């Protein structure tokens, strides 16, 4: 750590520094930002490294006094490695990953308004505003997004004599019974409540049943009467009648998607990557809004976002602001979305993706996004709570839903209270 006299001298020497940061200051006044980003590729050929290298190359050409050192990490490693960097005193300046609330709680982040221009901030889709907040202040900048839609196998529907996708839970139940009776060997509805992503499937059913995972104040509401009724309906109408897997708590999303792409599942909730899997499996599929308990209710979907965040430790606010305003330009965000089949988080890239009938396969997901409900990203304990939901919420369709949901709500509430007191 520099002493105060040296700090003052450096601050006078260059207008590029917004604080007395010691990391990344070159002898010529050049500042180097450290960017850590998650990898969305599944091979070296489509690694996010290529995307970021292109963005950084063009940024540095336009901003010769700012360099950007990019490190792209696997999802399995990024959060632990970023935590280790911060703990060792080598904090990055910018991180793009899945969560931000714990960093905001630890006072490690700049508020969004300090690192984005008014035009860039206004260009972010409004649906993400609240999801990016902690205690009323936005710290998370949406970077990529996804939503969910209902998928159905048209060939199986035709075999069962079903002419259109279900609108309500009652429709879904009637269709599932027909498929079970008329198309042997097919699972009518895939209900993946195993530990891979049970929180996602659960939240879609919770929302479509008129309930919430957490209320507007961030208080968990897992054990509400609406949610108890939802899981009771699932147990009674899908599990016990053999219209889904025998034990949904052991079935992961990956299996459900693979079974649909193999023609072994008739219906399920899915995100845009299932489009590619279904096409590869030569499945003639359709999409529709997620069925809801009451036909008169507004359709809902689950929205998922990954986030950009800006760290304060190195005092590089102005340089971070310059880079982020560049990174969120339409040409950069549009390339990212089209490369990895993501939904846009900025208005201009949304307009570009929907102009002239482009990306029709994504239209159901784009249409659903404005009405999306998000995880409680602003709760510093969400990662911990989510891990417990993945592990245990599937048990709510096996025994007494109220007892299981009550246990989970108490755990979530305790974790949230503890995190907020730290």
């Amino acid at each position: 750590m520099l002493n105060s006299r040296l700090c003052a001298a450096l601050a006078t020497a260059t207008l590029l520094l917004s604080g007395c940061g010691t990391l990344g200051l070159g002898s010529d006044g050049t500042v180097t930002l450290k960017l850590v980003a998650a990898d969305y590729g599944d091979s070296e050929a489509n690694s996010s490294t290529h995307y970021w290298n292109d963005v950084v190359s063009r940024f540095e050409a336009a901003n010769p006094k700012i360099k950007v050192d990019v490190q792209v990490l696997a999802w399995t490693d990024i959060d632990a490695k970023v935590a280790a960097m911060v703990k060792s005193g080598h904090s990055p300046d910018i991180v793009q990953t899945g969560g931000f609330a714990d960093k905001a709680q630890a006072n490690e982040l700049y508020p969004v308004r300090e690192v984005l221009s008014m035009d860039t901030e206004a260009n972010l889709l409004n649906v993400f505003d609240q999801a990016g907040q902690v205690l009323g202040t936005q710290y998370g900048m949406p970077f990529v997004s996804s939503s969910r839609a209902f998928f159905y196998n048209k060939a199986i529907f035709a075999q069962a004599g079903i002419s259109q996708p279900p609108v309500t839970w009652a429709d879904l139940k009637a269709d599932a019974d027909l498929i079970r009776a008329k198309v042997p060997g097919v699972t009518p509805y895939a209900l993946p409540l195993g530990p891979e992503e049970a929180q996602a499937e659960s939240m879609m059913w919770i929302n479509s049943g008129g309930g919430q995972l957490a209320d507007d104040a961030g208080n968990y509401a897992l054990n509400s009467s609406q949610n108890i009724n939802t899981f009771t309906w699932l147990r009674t109408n899908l599990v016990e009648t053999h219209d889904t897997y025998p034990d949904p708590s052991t079935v992961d999303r990956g299996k459900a998607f693979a079974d649909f792409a193999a023609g072994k599942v008739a219906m399920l909730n899915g995100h845009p990557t299932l489009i590619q899997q279904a096409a590869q499996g030569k499945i003639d599929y359709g999409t529709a809004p997620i069925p809801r308990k009451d036909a008169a209710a507004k359709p809902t979907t689950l929205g998922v976002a990954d986030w950009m965040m800006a760290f304060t430790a190195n005092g590089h606010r102005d340089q971070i602001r310059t880079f982020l305003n560049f990174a969120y330009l339409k040409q950069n965000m549009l390339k990212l979305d089209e490369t990895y089949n993501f939904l846009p988080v900025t208005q201009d890239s949304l307009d570009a993706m929907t102009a002239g009938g482009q990306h029709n396969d994504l239209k159901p997901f784009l249409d659903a996004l404005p009405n999306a409900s998000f995880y409680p990203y602003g709760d510093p304990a969400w990662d911990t709570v989510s891990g417990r939901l993945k592990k245990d919420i599937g048990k709510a369709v096996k025994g007494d839903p109220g007892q299981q949901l009550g246990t989970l709500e108490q755990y979530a509430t305790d974790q949230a209270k503890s995190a907020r007191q730290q």
Side-chain angles (χ1 to χ4, degrees):
M1 180 63 66
L2 296 177
N3 61 41
S4 58
R5 182 175 299 174
L6 181 54
C7 182
L10 283 175
T12 302
T14 176
L15 295 178
L16 282 173
L17 290 178
S18 61
C20 187
T22 62
L23 179 66
L25 178 62
S27 59
D28 59 352
T30 299
V31 170
T32 298
L33 299 177
K34 176 67 176 180
L35 166 65
V36 181
D39 195 350
Y40 290 102
D42 55 14
S43 68
E44 193 285 327
N46 68 351
S47 169
S48 297
T49 301
H50 304 299
Y51 169 80
W52 282 116
N53 285 345
D54 173 63
V55 171
V56 167
S57 176
R58 288 183 286 107
F59 172 78
E60 291 181 345
N63 299 272
K65 286 293 185 179
I66 307 174
K67 304 300 180 184
V68 183
D69 176 21
V70 179
Q71 185 176 10
V72 174
L73 298 174
W75 279 100
T76 52
D77 300 329
I78 186 167
D79 290 332
K81 289 191 175 181
V82 167
M85 292 176 196
V86 172
K87 186 176 181 180
S88 68
H90 296 90
S91 174
D93 295 286
I94 304 168
V95 173
Q96 181 271 304
T97 185
F100 57 86
D102 55 338
K103 289 90 172 172
Q105 178 75 9
N107 295 316
E108 295 170 355
L109 303 181
Y110 288 112
V112 171
R113 65 179 179 272
E114 295 188 21
V115 290
L116 290 183
S117 69
M118 291 180 63
D119 288 344
T120 302
E121 189 173 1
N123 192 38
L124 297 176
L125 296 178
N126 292 335
V127 69
F128 300 103
D129 288 353
Q130 186 171 350
Q133 295 180 9
V134 176
L135 299 177
T137 299
Q138 187 168 355
Y139 293 95
M141 292 161 273
F143 186 65
V144 299
S145 69
S146 180
S147 67
R148 301 295 196 266
F150 180 80
F151 284 72
Y152 61 99
N153 184 310
K154 291 182 178 180
I156 294 174
F157 268 44
Q159 285 180 265
I162 304 167
S163 60
Q164 60 187 14
V167 173
T168 66
W169 291 1
D171 297 337
L172 187 149
K173 169 61 177 170
D175 292 346
D177 287 345
L178 279 172
I179 292 165
R180 176 166 47 83
K182 295 187 176 184
V183 192
V186 168
T187 299
Y189 179 84
L191 184 66
L193 293 177
E196 179 186 358
E197 204 182 40
Q199 85 287 2
E201 181 73 12
S202 296
M203 191 164 168
M204 284 182 270
W205 282 96
I206 285 171
N207 291 340
S208 64
Q212 294 177 295
L213 183 64
D215 65 20
D216 292 338
N219 300 308
Y220 286 94
L222 280 158
N223 199 32
S224 67
S225 59
Q226 296 97 322
N227 295 348
I228 292 172
N229 290 339
T230 291
F231 281 88
T232 300
W233 189 94
L234 288 171
R235 185 193 66 195
T236 303
N237 291 278
L238 293 183
V239 180
E240 293 179 349
T241 57
H242 310 292
D243 285 327
T244 188
Y245 296 108
D247 184 359
S249 70
T250 66
V251 179
D252 286 337
R253 182 197 65 192
K255 174 176 171 53
F257 280 21
D259 285 351
F260 184 81
K264 299 177 182 178
V265 158
M267 303 178 282
L268 80 170
N269 294 325
H271 55 59
T273 61
L274 185 54
I275 294 172
Q276 297 170 336
Q277 286 184 252
Q280 290 170 357
K282 295 181 170 44
I283 301 298
D284 184 14
Y285 70 90
T287 58
I290 293 172
R292 50 204 184 272
K293 183 178 182 180
D294 300 313
K298 182 172 66 175
T300 65
T301 188
L302 170 65
V304 178
D306 293 331
W307 304 89
M308 189 80 79
M309 64 209 77
F311 283 71
T312 61
N314 303 314
H316 292 158
R317 184 188 64 184
D318 292 349
Q319 293 79 20
I320 292 170
R321 180 183 174 95
T322 301
F323 177 76
L324 289 177
N325 286 327
F326 181 88
Y328 276 96
L329 291 175
K330 180 176 74 172
Q331 69 185 95
N332 297 324
M333 299 306 292
L334 192 59
K335 181 178 180 180
L336 177 77
D337 296 333
E338 293 184 329
T339 298
Y340 295 105
N341 218 30
F342 290 132
L343 302 188
V345 299
T346 55
Q347 186 62 53
D348 55 7
S349 57
L350 174 61
D351 293 343
M353 289 183 73
T354 55
Q358 299 182 73
H359 303 288
N360 284 333
D361 56 346
L362 293 178
K363 189 175 187 303
F365 304 93
L366 292 165
D367 290 346
L369 193 58
N371 295 319
S373 295
F374 291 87
Y375 298 130
Y377 288 116
D379 174 17
W382 168 241
D383 285 347
T384 302
V385 172
S386 176
R388 179 68 178 269
L389 295 181
K390 290 178 184 180
K391 177 175 176 288
D392 287 343
I393 200 166
K395 298 174 184 176
V397 297
K398 297 173 65 176
D400 178 2
Q403 181 178 0
Q404 187 62 28
L405 293 175
T407 299
L408 290 172
E409 180 175 317
Q410 187 61 56
Y411 175 82
T413 300
D414 290 346
Q415 292 297 314
K417 182 178 179 180
S418 176
R420 290 165 187 167
Q421 290 175 343
Q422 292 179 2

Short mmCIF file of all heavy atoms in Angstrom, two decimals, residues 340-377:
data_model
loop_
_atom_site.label_atom_id
_atom_site.label_comp_id
_atom_site.label_asym_id
_atom_site.label_seq_id
_atom_site.Cartn_x
_atom_site.Cartn_y
_atom_site.Cartn_z
N TYR A 340 -23.62 -16.96 -29.06
CA TYR A 340 -23.95 -17.96 -28.04
C TYR A 340 -25.45 -18.18 -27.86
O TYR A 340 -25.87 -18.84 -26.92
CB TYR A 340 -23.31 -17.56 -26.70
CG TYR A 340 -21.80 -17.57 -26.76
CD1 TYR A 340 -21.08 -16.37 -26.82
CD2 TYR A 340 -21.09 -18.76 -26.79
CE1 TYR A 340 -19.69 -16.37 -26.89
CE2 TYR A 340 -19.71 -18.78 -26.87
CZ TYR A 340 -19.02 -17.57 -26.92
OH TYR A 340 -17.64 -17.58 -27.00
N ASN A 341 -26.26 -17.61 -28.77
CA ASN A 341 -27.71 -17.82 -28.74
C ASN A 341 -28.34 -17.31 -27.44
O ASN A 341 -29.24 -17.92 -26.88
CB ASN A 341 -28.06 -19.31 -28.93
CG ASN A 341 -29.30 -19.48 -29.79
OD1 ASN A 341 -29.58 -18.66 -30.65
ND2 ASN A 341 -30.03 -20.54 -29.55
N PHE A 342 -27.86 -16.16 -26.98
CA PHE A 342 -28.41 -15.53 -25.79
C PHE A 342 -29.52 -14.55 -26.18
O PHE A 342 -29.64 -14.12 -27.33
CB PHE A 342 -27.32 -14.75 -25.03
CG PHE A 342 -26.30 -15.61 -24.36
CD1 PHE A 342 -24.95 -15.34 -24.51
CD2 PHE A 342 -26.68 -16.68 -23.57
CE1 PHE A 342 -24.00 -16.12 -23.88
CE2 PHE A 342 -25.74 -17.47 -22.94
CZ PHE A 342 -24.38 -17.19 -23.09
N LEU A 343 -30.29 -14.17 -25.18
CA LEU A 343 -31.24 -13.08 -25.35
C LEU A 343 -30.55 -11.77 -25.01
O LEU A 343 -29.68 -11.72 -24.15
CB LEU A 343 -32.46 -13.29 -24.44
CG LEU A 343 -33.24 -14.58 -24.63
CD1 LEU A 343 -34.52 -14.54 -23.79
CD2 LEU A 343 -33.59 -14.83 -26.08
N PRO A 344 -30.93 -10.69 -25.67
CA PRO A 344 -30.26 -9.41 -25.45
C PRO A 344 -30.62 -8.79 -24.11
O PRO A 344 -31.68 -9.05 -23.54
CB PRO A 344 -30.78 -8.54 -26.60
CG PRO A 344 -32.09 -9.14 -26.96
CD PRO A 344 -31.96 -10.62 -26.72
N VAL A 345 -29.72 -7.94 -23.62
CA VAL A 345 -29.97 -7.19 -22.39
C VAL A 345 -30.02 -5.69 -22.68
O VAL A 345 -30.29 -4.89 -21.78
CB VAL A 345 -28.89 -7.46 -21.32
CG1 VAL A 345 -28.88 -8.93 -20.93
CG2 VAL A 345 -27.51 -6.99 -21.78
N THR A 346 -29.78 -5.30 -23.93
CA THR A 346 -29.82 -3.89 -24.31
C THR A 346 -30.90 -3.68 -25.37
O THR A 346 -31.18 -4.57 -26.18
CB THR A 346 -28.47 -3.41 -24.86
OG1 THR A 346 -28.08 -4.26 -25.95
CG2 THR A 346 -27.40 -3.43 -23.78
N GLN A 347 -31.50 -2.48 -25.34
CA GLN A 347 -32.62 -2.20 -26.24
C GLN A 347 -32.19 -2.19 -27.70
O GLN A 347 -32.90 -2.73 -28.56
CB GLN A 347 -33.23 -0.84 -25.88
CG GLN A 347 -34.50 -0.52 -26.67
CD GLN A 347 -35.62 -1.51 -26.40
OE1 GLN A 347 -35.97 -1.76 -25.26
NE2 GLN A 347 -36.18 -2.10 -27.45
N ASP A 348 -31.03 -1.61 -28.00
CA ASP A 348 -30.64 -1.55 -29.41
C ASP A 348 -30.30 -2.92 -29.98
O ASP A 348 -30.59 -3.21 -31.15
CB ASP A 348 -29.51 -0.54 -29.64
CG ASP A 348 -28.28 -0.77 -28.79
OD1 ASP A 348 -28.20 -1.79 -28.08
OD2 ASP A 348 -27.39 0.10 -28.81
N SER A 349 -29.73 -3.81 -29.16
CA SER A 349 -29.47 -5.16 -29.68
C SER A 349 -30.77 -5.96 -29.79
O SER A 349 -30.92 -6.78 -30.71
CB SER A 349 -28.45 -5.90 -28.80
OG SER A 349 -28.86 -5.97 -27.47
N LEU A 350 -31.72 -5.70 -28.89
CA LEU A 350 -33.04 -6.34 -29.01
C LEU A 350 -33.72 -5.90 -30.30
O LEU A 350 -34.28 -6.73 -31.05
CB LEU A 350 -33.91 -5.97 -27.81
CG LEU A 350 -35.38 -6.43 -27.86
CD1 LEU A 350 -35.47 -7.94 -27.95
CD2 LEU A 350 -36.14 -5.92 -26.64
N ASP A 351 -33.67 -4.61 -30.58
CA ASP A 351 -34.28 -4.10 -31.82
C ASP A 351 -33.63 -4.74 -33.04
O ASP A 351 -34.31 -5.12 -34.00
CB ASP A 351 -34.13 -2.58 -31.89
CG ASP A 351 -34.94 -1.85 -30.83
OD1 ASP A 351 -35.86 -2.46 -30.27
OD2 ASP A 351 -34.63 -0.67 -30.56
N ALA A 352 -32.32 -4.87 -33.01
CA ALA A 352 -31.60 -5.44 -34.15
C ALA A 352 -31.94 -6.92 -34.33
O ALA A 352 -32.07 -7.40 -35.47
CB ALA A 352 -30.09 -5.27 -33.96
N MET A 353 -32.10 -7.64 -33.22
CA MET A 353 -32.37 -9.08 -33.31
C MET A 353 -33.79 -9.38 -33.76
O MET A 353 -34.07 -10.48 -34.24
CB MET A 353 -32.07 -9.75 -31.97
CG MET A 353 -30.59 -9.83 -31.64
SD MET A 353 -30.24 -10.71 -30.09
CE MET A 353 -30.56 -12.41 -30.58
N THR A 354 -34.70 -8.44 -33.58
CA THR A 354 -36.10 -8.69 -33.93
C THR A 354 -36.52 -7.99 -35.21
O THR A 354 -37.66 -8.13 -35.65
CB THR A 354 -37.02 -8.24 -32.77
OG1 THR A 354 -36.75 -6.86 -32.45
CG2 THR A 354 -36.80 -9.09 -31.54
N ALA A 355 -35.62 -7.23 -35.83
CA ALA A 355 -35.95 -6.51 -37.06
C ALA A 355 -35.99 -7.46 -38.25
O ALA A 355 -35.18 -8.38 -38.36
CB ALA A 355 -34.93 -5.40 -37.31
N GLY A 356 -36.96 -7.26 -39.10
CA GLY A 356 -37.00 -8.00 -40.36
C GLY A 356 -37.21 -9.49 -40.23
O GLY A 356 -36.80 -10.25 -41.09
N GLY A 357 -37.82 -9.92 -39.15
CA GLY A 357 -38.11 -11.34 -38.99
C GLY A 357 -36.91 -12.20 -38.66
O GLY A 357 -36.96 -13.43 -38.81
N GLN A 358 -35.82 -11.58 -38.22
CA GLN A 358 -34.64 -12.36 -37.86
C GLN A 358 -34.88 -13.12 -36.55
O GLN A 358 -35.70 -12.74 -35.73
CB GLN A 358 -33.44 -11.44 -37.68
CG GLN A 358 -33.04 -10.65 -38.91
CD GLN A 358 -31.82 -9.80 -38.66
OE1 GLN A 358 -30.70 -10.31 -38.55
NE2 GLN A 358 -32.01 -8.50 -38.54
N HIS A 359 -34.13 -14.20 -36.37
CA HIS A 359 -34.13 -14.96 -35.12
C HIS A 359 -35.54 -15.37 -34.69
O HIS A 359 -35.91 -15.27 -33.53
CB HIS A 359 -33.45 -14.15 -34.01
CG HIS A 359 -32.06 -13.73 -34.33
ND1 HIS A 359 -31.01 -14.63 -34.36
CD2 HIS A 359 -31.53 -12.53 -34.65
CE1 HIS A 359 -29.89 -13.99 -34.68
NE2 HIS A 359 -30.19 -12.72 -34.87
N ASN A 360 -36.32 -15.87 -35.65
CA ASN A 360 -37.69 -16.29 -35.32
C ASN A 360 -37.73 -17.40 -34.29
O ASN A 360 -38.70 -17.54 -33.55
CB ASN A 360 -38.41 -16.73 -36.59
CG ASN A 360 -38.84 -15.56 -37.45
OD1 ASN A 360 -39.07 -14.46 -36.94
ND2 ASN A 360 -38.95 -15.76 -38.76
N ASP A 361 -36.65 -18.22 -34.26
CA ASP A 361 -36.63 -19.31 -33.28
C ASP A 361 -36.55 -18.79 -31.85
O ASP A 361 -36.95 -19.46 -30.90
CB ASP A 361 -35.48 -20.28 -33.56
CG ASP A 361 -34.12 -19.61 -33.59
OD1 ASP A 361 -34.06 -18.36 -33.67
OD2 ASP A 361 -33.11 -20.32 -33.54
N LEU A 362 -36.04 -17.56 -31.69
CA LEU A 362 -35.93 -16.98 -30.35
C LEU A 362 -37.15 -16.14 -29.97
O LEU A 362 -37.23 -15.65 -28.84
CB LEU A 362 -34.68 -16.10 -30.25
CG LEU A 362 -33.33 -16.83 -30.34
CD1 LEU A 362 -32.20 -15.81 -30.26
CD2 LEU A 362 -33.19 -17.86 -29.23
N LYS A 363 -38.08 -15.95 -30.90
CA LYS A 363 -39.21 -15.04 -30.65
C LYS A 363 -40.00 -15.40 -29.39
O LYS A 363 -40.35 -14.50 -28.60
CB LYS A 363 -40.14 -15.00 -31.86
CG LYS A 363 -41.21 -13.90 -31.75
CD LYS A 363 -42.04 -13.82 -33.03
CE LYS A 363 -42.98 -12.62 -32.98
NZ LYS A 363 -43.87 -12.64 -31.81
N PRO A 364 -40.33 -16.67 -29.13
CA PRO A 364 -41.08 -16.98 -27.90
C PRO A 364 -40.34 -16.55 -26.63
O PRO A 364 -40.97 -16.13 -25.66
CB PRO A 364 -41.25 -18.50 -27.95
CG PRO A 364 -41.09 -18.87 -29.38
CD PRO A 364 -40.10 -17.89 -29.93
N PHE A 365 -39.02 -16.66 -26.65
CA PHE A 365 -38.23 -16.29 -25.48
C PHE A 365 -38.11 -14.77 -25.35
O PHE A 365 -38.18 -14.22 -24.25
CB PHE A 365 -36.85 -16.92 -25.58
CG PHE A 365 -36.89 -18.41 -25.74
CD1 PHE A 365 -36.86 -18.98 -27.01
CD2 PHE A 365 -36.98 -19.24 -24.64
CE1 PHE A 365 -36.91 -20.36 -27.16
CE2 PHE A 365 -37.03 -20.62 -24.78
CZ PHE A 365 -37.00 -21.18 -26.05
N LEU A 366 -37.97 -14.10 -26.50
CA LEU A 366 -37.92 -12.64 -26.49
C LEU A 366 -39.25 -12.05 -26.06
O LEU A 366 -39.30 -11.09 -25.29
CB LEU A 366 -37.54 -12.12 -27.88
CG LEU A 366 -36.12 -12.43 -28.35
CD1 LEU A 366 -35.98 -12.18 -29.84
CD2 LEU A 366 -35.11 -11.59 -27.59
N ASP A 367 -40.35 -12.63 -26.54
CA ASP A 367 -41.68 -12.15 -26.16
C ASP A 367 -41.94 -12.34 -24.68
O ASP A 367 -42.65 -11.54 -24.05
CB ASP A 367 -42.76 -12.89 -26.97
CG ASP A 367 -42.76 -12.49 -28.44
OD1 ASP A 367 -42.12 -11.48 -28.78
OD2 ASP A 367 -43.38 -13.21 -29.23
N ALA A 368 -41.38 -13.41 -24.11
CA ALA A 368 -41.63 -13.71 -22.70
C ALA A 368 -40.79 -12.86 -21.76
O ALA A 368 -41.16 -12.64 -20.60
CB ALA A 368 -41.36 -15.19 -22.43
N LEU A 369 -39.65 -12.36 -22.25
CA LEU A 369 -38.69 -11.70 -21.37
C LEU A 369 -39.26 -10.51 -20.59
O LEU A 369 -38.96 -10.36 -19.40
CB LEU A 369 -37.47 -11.27 -22.18
CG LEU A 369 -36.23 -10.85 -21.39
CD1 LEU A 369 -35.76 -11.97 -20.46
CD2 LEU A 369 -35.10 -10.45 -22.34
N PRO A 370 -40.09 -9.63 -21.19
CA PRO A 370 -40.60 -8.48 -20.42
C PRO A 370 -41.43 -8.88 -19.20
O PRO A 370 -41.56 -8.08 -18.25
CB PRO A 370 -41.45 -7.72 -21.44
CG PRO A 370 -40.87 -8.09 -22.76
CD PRO A 370 -40.45 -9.53 -22.62
N ASN A 371 -42.01 -10.08 -19.19
CA ASN A 371 -42.81 -10.54 -18.05
C ASN A 371 -42.06 -11.53 -17.17
O ASN A 371 -42.67 -12.23 -16.37
CB ASN A 371 -44.11 -11.19 -18.56
CG ASN A 371 -45.01 -10.20 -19.26
OD1 ASN A 371 -45.15 -9.06 -18.83
ND2 ASN A 371 -45.61 -10.62 -20.36
N ALA A 372 -40.74 -11.56 -17.30
CA ALA A 372 -39.96 -12.56 -16.58
C ALA A 372 -39.86 -12.23 -15.09
O ALA A 372 -39.81 -11.07 -14.69
CB ALA A 372 -38.56 -12.65 -17.18
N SER A 373 -39.83 -13.28 -14.29
CA SER A 373 -39.49 -13.17 -12.87
C SER A 373 -38.08 -13.73 -12.70
O SER A 373 -37.73 -14.74 -13.31
CB SER A 373 -40.48 -13.98 -12.03
OG SER A 373 -41.77 -13.45 -12.11
N PHE A 374 -37.30 -13.06 -11.87
CA PHE A 374 -35.90 -13.44 -11.68
C PHE A 374 -35.67 -14.01 -10.29
O PHE A 374 -36.45 -13.77 -9.35
CB PHE A 374 -35.00 -12.22 -11.88
CG PHE A 374 -34.95 -11.73 -13.30
CD1 PHE A 374 -35.90 -10.84 -13.77
CD2 PHE A 374 -33.98 -12.19 -14.18
CE1 PHE A 374 -35.87 -10.40 -15.08
CE2 PHE A 374 -33.95 -11.76 -15.49
CZ PHE A 374 -34.90 -10.86 -15.94
N TYR A 375 -34.60 -14.76 -10.17
CA TYR A 375 -34.16 -15.20 -8.85
C TYR A 375 -33.88 -13.96 -7.97
O TYR A 375 -33.61 -12.87 -8.50
CB TYR A 375 -32.86 -16.01 -8.97
CG TYR A 375 -32.95 -17.29 -9.76
CD1 TYR A 375 -32.02 -17.57 -10.77
CD2 TYR A 375 -33.94 -18.24 -9.50
CE1 TYR A 375 -32.07 -18.75 -11.50
CE2 TYR A 375 -34.00 -19.42 -10.22
CZ TYR A 375 -33.07 -19.66 -11.22
OH TYR A 375 -33.13 -20.83 -11.93
N PRO A 376 -33.87 -14.12 -6.68
CA PRO A 376 -33.52 -12.99 -5.79
C PRO A 376 -32.02 -12.72 -5.80
O PRO A 376 -31.31 -12.93 -4.81
CB PRO A 376 -34.03 -13.45 -4.42
CG PRO A 376 -34.01 -14.94 -4.48
CD PRO A 376 -34.35 -15.29 -5.90
N TYR A 377 -31.53 -12.25 -6.96
CA TYR A 377 -30.10 -12.00 -7.13
C TYR A 377 -29.55 -11.02 -6.11
O TYR A 377 -28.36 -11.04 -5.78
CB TYR A 377 -29.82 -11.46 -8.53
CG TYR A 377 -29.96 -12.45 -9.65
CD1 TYR A 377 -30.94 -12.28 -10.63
CD2 TYR A 377 -29.11 -13.55 -9.76
CE1 TYR A 377 -31.06 -13.17 -11.68
CE2 TYR A 377 -29.23 -14.44 -10.80
CZ TYR A 377 -30.21 -14.25 -11.77
OH TYR A 377 -30.34 -15.14 -12.81
#
